Every structure is written in structure tokens, then in C-alpha cells.
Amino acid sequence: MTESLAGLRPVLLTVDDDPSISRAVARDLRRRYGEHHRVVRAESGEQALEALREITLRGDQVAVLLADYRMPGMTGIEFLEQAMDLFPAARRVLLTAYADTGAAIEAINVVDLDHYLLKPWDPPEEKLYPVVDALLDAWRTSDRTPVTETRVVGHRWSARSHEVRDFLARNQIAYRWCLADEPEGRRLLDAAGADGLRLPVVVPPGGDALVAPSDAELAERVGLSTVPSSDFYDVVVIGGGPAGLGAAVYAASEGLRTVLVERTATGGQAGQSSRIENYLGFPDGVSGSQLTDRARRQATRFGAEVLTTRDAVGLSAHGSARSVRFADGSQLHAHSVILATGVSYRQLRAPGLDELTSKGVFYGSALTEAASCAEQDVYVVGGANSAGQAAVYFARSAKSVTMLVRGTSLEASMSHYLIQQIAAQPNITVRTSTEVVCAHGEDHLERLELRDLRSGEVELVDSSWLFVFIGASPHTDWLDGVVARDDAGFVLAGPDLVVDGKRPQGWVPERDPYHLETSLPGVFVAGDARAESVKRVASAVGDGAMAVSLVHRYLEKP
């Protein structure tokens, strides 16, 4: 690569393995845009990714990516998919031959492609420049907060260090992880005036260091919204998983004053999935983080507010208003509320696990730890789709992945396509009728005791990595005594509230509850927190959309 990466002008990056084409594209781009943009040229996907990493470290912005489809080692689609993680706001163009237009159409789903450009593009005044002009206009008006570097300094097996990294990753905040006992980590601690006793230390770009920050402090400093612009809305959505995001998109797009509040980060369990392959409209699959990012951007584009680090602890009615109280004592008021609080993985009850949580024992996929698992032996507990997706993901880099399943097979709880993928991975082993009975380790997980439920035999295995996906519990304890719930804590709604023709106790309206309406009129439930709901992304999104239509009906006739 011949171009310098220095400078502050937005970057136009082109990558093509044919040097003559690469030079021609760069030449045409420079001729039209060189005065106000920096053109960077690469001749392979890996070279282009390295350039993007350098650009990231410098805090510069990338406006447009143009990648050739047919490149050895890494196709243009594969490059653009990885580049999205570094510069999600950059506009994406695939350079194709006429015979590859099918691949370009496929890329629309895989990498949210903005345009595909047929080669040759002569004359550029007719075929290249109008396309790039339109993409630059769209980029300038989009949410393109500069990709800046937040640095996190901590210990490898620190639970709080893991939580901070997970918080940043799930909120799509670029960061670099530095170990406190390595030279760069020590240099940052010295520069921040930190003694290294209280970790992690977070160094935001252009700001003072944060020592052992809370999530709320961290959110404020990295630019996440935590304070609402108003104290009264048409609808407050509690929870930012697929159901909550779906509700926010539909409510805001239909003109309702909408605010979505989330405890940690949008996406819920789905947002932590490495790959969702059975969601409608994505034939090649989509990562949970990509799907979440698109949905969040879609909601905010329609005018919804998205607030993080807001932990709902109370719900009440005051005349026609519904009030949500948060852990910090603040409140939001609205005409209606949609409960989309989702569920969390149940804790695995065995000696040693509680003490080692986030120190080698993780609940959920913990994708922030994936790089550390390279060439390691990883154990995954669970037999449903989330466990299967995690196993396939970790198998890409881990030495081995062992799935521990209490049941006798995967067929009863896992989608067929995932079972096939697992069977095709030579480094994944499925051990059925097996449970974890104990975990051992000093400052981190070192060994596991496994019991064969058929023979009763106990085996001790070495491992520093255990990821647990065993059932789910709803986040509804804070609603006790406010809305009706079943014995497991899931919220009852609609027809389930009418028993033998009798409406729920305290019900005032002269009508039955609407389909997703709870026992408190004007409060609706969507997604996994609803009793008898289908635990799938598509059904959660559908619940969110349906809840908005019922909110309209409620607002017209309470």
C-alpha cells in the first residue's frame, strides 16, 4: 500500500487484487474527490483490514469502502463483513463482473450492501461518480460518530474487567483491551495516575481516566444516552431485545413519542448470538450484534429515544398515566408501557461456580472472550439453539469444544440446521446425559468435575472456559403485585387473564384485556417475558409490532 494514513480527511478505501484495476479505481477517485478526501488503496482483504485498523487507531473516519468481489484468500463480501465491525457507518460498494451480479445481490443481506458496481465503470462521470456522490451525501447525513478508541486496563481474570468489556462491546463502543501487567497497560496506568489496585481503569478518547467506573458513569463518558429528553411519552418500552426494538421501531415510525430503556445494552440474548441463521430475510445468517445495531439505528432514525443503564424497579398507575420508577429514584411517565424485559440464563448450581463467575465461568456467549479461547479447550453447557450457536462459533478458533447436555440427545431442543453444523465440526464433541457437579480454581477456572447421569461416574477435566446456556428466567420480579404472573414469573396477558368469563381482579375497563395487555390496563407485554410465548427472534419482533397496534387501540379507547 503506497498511501500515507496520516491526515484528517474522510477516507475512501478501495481494495482489488488486480494492481491495474486497483490503481485505476484509486486514480478516478482521487481525480474527483482527492481535494477533500483521502484515497487509500489496498491489493488484498487482509491488507485493507490492516489499513482500517491503523485508521481506527488514528481516530479518522472512513466514508466509503469499494471492494472487488473476486479476491483470493478473502472475498469482497468477507472483507466488507469484517470491515463493518470497524466502521459500521461506512458506505459499502462491491465491484463485480457481469457474471457476479448474483453474488452482489446476496451481499445486500450479508453486509447491508449500499451498491454494486459493474466493471468496467467507464466513463466514471456516468457510472462511478454519481454513485459515490450519493453515498457520500448519505454518509454525511448519517449517524457517523467518529470511531474512537477507548482503552480498558485490567486483569485477565477480573470479573469487573470482563463486565466493562462486555458492556462496551454490546453497546458497539470500540475499545482496546490492555493487561495491567504488560508494558502498555502499565504505561496507561502511570499516565492516568492510577495505582493499579483499583481496576479496571477506562481511558476514553480525549478525557480523564475512569477508575473502576459504574456502568452509568461509563455510559455517560463514552457518549451513550442515559437521560430522557422529556418526562412524558406516548409509550415507554422497557427492555431492548428484539421485542423491545421491534416495538420502538413500529411505535416511533407511526408517530408515537417513544422511549426505550435498557439496563445494559440493546439486543438482549439475541444481541449476544454469534450467528442467527433462521431469521427471515437473512439467508446467509446475521450476527446478533449486526441485527441489533440495524434495529437500534432504525428506531432512532424514526425518532425513538434509546436510553441505557436504566434499571426499572417499579410500575404504577396514576389516573390515565403509567409511571416507571428506576433504581436511581427517577421516573418516566407515559400513556402506555410495553414490557419487553426478556429473560436471562439460569445460574448453574454447583460448588465453585458462583465464585468463578466471569473468571472463566460465563453465562451467555461472552463473545468478548472468544479471542482468549483460541487453541484452548472450551466447555459449553446446554442443548438448545443458543448453546449450539456458541459451540459452532467457538469451534472456529478453539482447540476443542465440548457440549455438556443433560438430555439424551439434541433433537428435542435444537434446530436441525444447527445439529447438522455441529456434526460437521470435527473439534466439537457432544456429551449427552452429562452434568457439571463442581468447579475448581484459585483466581480463575482450572478444572471441572463432570458426572455421567447414566453410570454415575465422575470425571475431572482441565479447562479454563465454561459457557452456560441452561433455560431462562424472566426479569419480572420488580412487577410482583402490579401485574399478574404465572408460577414461573412470566407475565400473563390477554385471554389468559379471563378465567371462566371473569376479568382479572381490579380490572376497570368495560372490555376484556387486549391480546398482549396485562392485568394493568395500558401496560402490554411482548417477547420472552410473556407467558407461553415462542422463544424465537421473529416471534419476539412480531410481539413488539402487535403490542404497538394494541397501544393505538388503547389510546383511542382506554
Side-chain angles (χ1 to χ4, degrees), residues 377-381 400-404 427-431 450:
D377 295 316
V378 175
Y379 285 77
V380 175
V381 178
S400 71
V401 178
T402 303
M403 296 189 67
L404 307 174
N427 61 337
I428 297 181
T429 301
V430 179
R431 294 183 56 167
L450 310 179

Side-chain angles (χ1 to χ4, degrees), residues 337-340 491-493 516-518 523-527 529-531 543 547:
V337 173
I338 296 176
L339 302 172
V491 177
L492 298 169
L516 298 180
E517 194 170 21
T518 71
V523 176
F524 300 82
V525 61
R530 179 171 64 87
D543 265 12

Side-chain angles (χ1 to χ4, degrees), residues 149-197:
E149 182 185 49
T150 292
R151 287 162 291 185
V152 180
V153 184
H155 291 309
R156 181 180 182 184
W157 298 112
S158 160
R160 183 55 187 161
S161 294
H162 163 75
E163 291 168 359
V164 165
R165 293 164 60 204
D166 193 54
F167 177 86
L168 293 172
R170 291 179 60 190
N171 279 289
Q172 313 275 325
I173 303 297
Y175 75 91
R176 183 147 56 95
W177 168 238
C178 307
L179 292 172
D181 56 358
E182 292 186 349
E184 184 175 9
R186 289 195 294 269
R187 180 180 62 79
L188 287 171
L189 290 177
D190 290 342
D195 56 17
L197 299 177

Side-chain angles (χ1 to χ4, degrees), residues 161-384:
S161 294
H162 163 75
E163 291 168 359
V164 165
R165 293 164 60 204
D166 193 54
F167 177 86
L168 293 172
R170 291 179 60 190
N171 279 289
Q172 313 275 325
I173 303 297
Y175 75 91
R176 183 147 56 95
W177 168 238
C178 307
L179 292 172
D181 56 358
E182 292 186 349
E184 184 175 9
R186 289 195 294 269
R187 180 180 62 79
L188 287 171
L189 290 177
D190 290 342
D195 56 17
L197 299 177
R198 294 180 61 214
L199 294 175
V201 170
V202 180
V203 186
D208 296 331
L210 300 172
V211 179
S214 66
D215 284 353
E217 292 171 328
L218 192 56
E220 183 177 358
R221 288 291 297 277
V222 299
L224 297 174
S225 295
T226 60
V227 179
S229 64
S230 173
D231 60 1
F232 199 93
Y233 294 84
D234 290 321
V235 57
V236 175
V237 181
I238 309 296
L245 286 167
V249 167
Y250 282 98
S253 69
E254 293 170 13
L256 296 177
R257 291 169 298 166
T258 305
V259 60
L260 181 151
V261 294
E262 168 59 50
R263 293 193 306 170
T264 304
T266 52
Q269 286 188 0
Q272 301 178 68
S273 175
S274 57
R275 203 75 179 167
I276 301 170
E277 298 197 53
N278 58 353
Y279 186 59
L280 184 67
F282 292 88
D284 297 290
V286 61
S287 74
S289 62
Q290 288 175 356
L291 187 63
T292 296
D293 180 58
R294 293 181 189 184
R296 181 190 54 77
R297 287 190 285 123
Q298 194 174 16
T300 55
R301 183 168 65 85
F302 283 124
E305 292 182 43
V306 178
L307 308 179
T308 57
T309 65
R310 308 291 289 187
D311 190 7
V313 296
L315 175 66
S316 58
H318 301 279
S320 62
R322 301 293 177 262
S323 300
V324 180
R325 188 175 74 259
F326 299 99
D328 63 0
S330 63
Q331 294 190 72
L332 278 178
H333 311 284
H335 291 301
S336 61
V337 173
I338 296 176
L339 302 172
T341 51
V343 295
S344 62
Y345 292 109
R346 292 195 180 101
Q347 302 290 295
L348 189 61
R349 297 305 176 194
L353 289 173
D354 286 349
E355 296 82 357
L356 296 172
T357 297
S358 297
K359 301 177 181 179
V361 177
F362 303 95
Y363 291 87
S365 55
L367 299 183
T368 52
E369 302 294 339
S372 301
C373 296
E375 299 304 317
Q376 303 283 314
D377 295 316
V378 175
Y379 285 77
V380 175
V381 178

Side-chain angles (χ1 to χ4, degrees), residues 19 64 69 84 118 120 126 141 173 193 258 281 301 324 352 408 410 414 491 526 536:
V64 178
Y69 170 62
M84 287 173 66
L118 292 177
E126 295 181 11
T141 58
I173 303 297
T258 305
R301 183 168 65 85
V324 180
T408 58
L410 294 175
M414 187 177 293
V491 177
R536 289 288 186 269

Side-chain angles (χ1 to χ4, degrees), residues 21-229:
I21 294 178
S22 176
R23 285 192 296 269
V25 177
R27 179 198 63 221
D28 287 343
L29 290 174
R30 222 177 261 115
R31 182 184 304 156
R32 171 89 166 208
Y33 306 103
E35 182 178 356
H36 301 293
H37 299 79
R38 187 156 50 89
V39 177
V40 175
R41 178 172 65 85
E43 295 180 3
S44 72
E46 287 293 346
Q47 192 181 65
L49 287 175
E50 182 59 32
L52 292 179
R53 294 186 189 104
E54 293 181 36
I55 293 168
T56 301
L57 292 176
R58 294 177 182 273
D60 291 349
Q61 300 183 66
V62 175
V64 178
L65 300 164
L66 299 96
D68 181 56
Y69 170 62
R70 289 183 179 273
M71 293 190 294
M74 180 184 297
T75 69
I77 295 177
E78 292 169 338
F79 161 71
L80 290 172
E81 189 170 16
Q82 294 189 46
M84 287 173 66
D85 294 332
L86 296 170
F87 291 96
R91 301 295 155 167
R92 294 171 281 276
V93 179
L94 195 67
L95 299 173
T96 69
Y98 181 79
D100 295 325
T101 53
I105 294 171
E106 169 195 343
I108 292 173
N109 278 331
V110 178
V111 295
D112 200 11
L113 193 70
D114 293 292
H115 197 89
Y116 66 89
L117 191 65
L118 292 177
K119 298 185 291 186
W121 56 89
D122 292 328
E125 289 78 11
E126 295 181 11
K127 297 183 178 180
L128 176 64
Y129 297 154
V131 171
V132 177
D133 285 346
L135 294 177
L136 285 174
D137 286 343
W139 177 79
R140 292 187 191 101
T141 58
S142 67
D143 178 9
R144 51 184 178 87
T145 303
V147 179
T148 52
E149 182 185 49
T150 292
R151 287 162 291 185
V152 180
V153 184
H155 291 309
R156 181 180 182 184
W157 298 112
S158 160
R160 183 55 187 161
S161 294
H162 163 75
E163 291 168 359
V164 165
R165 293 164 60 204
D166 193 54
F167 177 86
L168 293 172
R170 291 179 60 190
N171 279 289
Q172 313 275 325
I173 303 297
Y175 75 91
R176 183 147 56 95
W177 168 238
C178 307
L179 292 172
D181 56 358
E182 292 186 349
E184 184 175 9
R186 289 195 294 269
R187 180 180 62 79
L188 287 171
L189 290 177
D190 290 342
D195 56 17
L197 299 177
R198 294 180 61 214
L199 294 175
V201 170
V202 180
V203 186
D208 296 331
L210 300 172
V211 179
S214 66
D215 284 353
E217 292 171 328
L218 192 56
E220 183 177 358
R221 288 291 297 277
V222 299
L224 297 174
S225 295
T226 60
V227 179
S229 64

Side-chain angles (χ1 to χ4, degrees), residues 386-405:
S386 295
Q389 289 164 351
V392 171
Y393 179 78
F394 286 124
R396 298 176 186 175
S397 57
K399 177 182 177 182
S400 71
V401 178
T402 303
M403 296 189 67
L404 307 174
V405 183

